């Protein structure tokens, strides 16, 4: 699993601590921006002008540099996001990708649109 807390990565991010609170619920304001470390729930719309970033895995044939650990790339104007949807510095996108309200109904079911602390019937 990629180290989303590494100093090398953190130094490249515009908002590594998810301080723009509108971009995620409080329960996702952590390095992984998630409730469960193994899953990211994020809206796949670039925060620049609304294109769809695509997942680019580690060591992908794209030339994203030898230190690329995987993440999301928006080809429209060249914005990059890490595996937690945090935006890199120096790209057009102004903020991290949006983590919507969501809750886990079980280990295999998720409900998007309802906050974790509100639960579901
Ligand atoms: S819409 Fe994603 S970089 Fe412009």
């Amino acid at each position: 699993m990629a180290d989303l807390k590494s100093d090398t990565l953190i130094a490249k991010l515009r908002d590594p601590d998810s301080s723009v609170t509108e971009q995620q619920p409080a329960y996702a304001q952590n390095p992984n921006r998630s409730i469960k470390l193994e899953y990211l729930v994020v809206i796949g719309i670039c925060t620049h002008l609304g294109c769809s970033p695509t997942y680019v895995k580690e060591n992908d044939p794209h030339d994203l540099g030898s230190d690329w650990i995987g993440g999301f790339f928006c080809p429209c104007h060249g914005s990059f996001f890490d595996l937690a949807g945090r935006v890199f510095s120096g790209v057009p996108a102004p903020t991290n990708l949006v983590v919507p309200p969501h809750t886990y109904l079980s280990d295999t079911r998720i409900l998007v649109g309802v906050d974790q602390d509100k639960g579901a019937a």
Side-chain angles (χ1 to χ4, degrees), residues 2-117:
D3 182 4
L4 297 177
K5 298 180 198 170
S6 83
D7 291 340
T8 303
L9 175 62
I10 297 297
K12 295 178 182 177
L13 302 174
R14 180 173 291 157
D15 183 14
D17 299 322
S18 299
S19 59
V20 179
T21 57
E22 297 79 21
Q23 298 307 105
Q24 66 284 309
Y27 50 80
Q29 192 174 6
N30 56 58
N32 289 63
R33 301 183 75 230
S34 63
I35 296 170
K36 297 187 177 204
L37 295 182
E38 63 269 42
Y39 301 115
L40 172 67
V41 177
V42 68
I43 296 177
I45 298 175
C46 183
T47 55
H48 180 222
L49 294 176
C51 290
S52 297
T54 56
Y55 171 64
V56 182
K57 65 183 178 185
E58 181 183 13
N59 299 323
D60 192 273
H62 291 85
D63 184 18
L64 299 180
S66 59
D67 58 347
W68 178 254
I69 61 170
F72 304 91
F73 172 60
C74 184
C76 299
H77 311 97
S79 290
F80 294 93
F81 305 85
D82 77 348
L83 288 167
R86 297 177 297 183
V87 69
F88 281 74
S89 298
V91 301
T95 56
N96 296 341
L97 296 176
V98 173
V99 175
H102 61 285
T103 190
Y104 283 85
L105 302 175
S106 69
D107 285 343
T108 57
R109 294 181 64 214
I110 187 170
L111 178 63
V112 176
V114 176
D115 280 313
Q116 177 75 20
D117 55 351

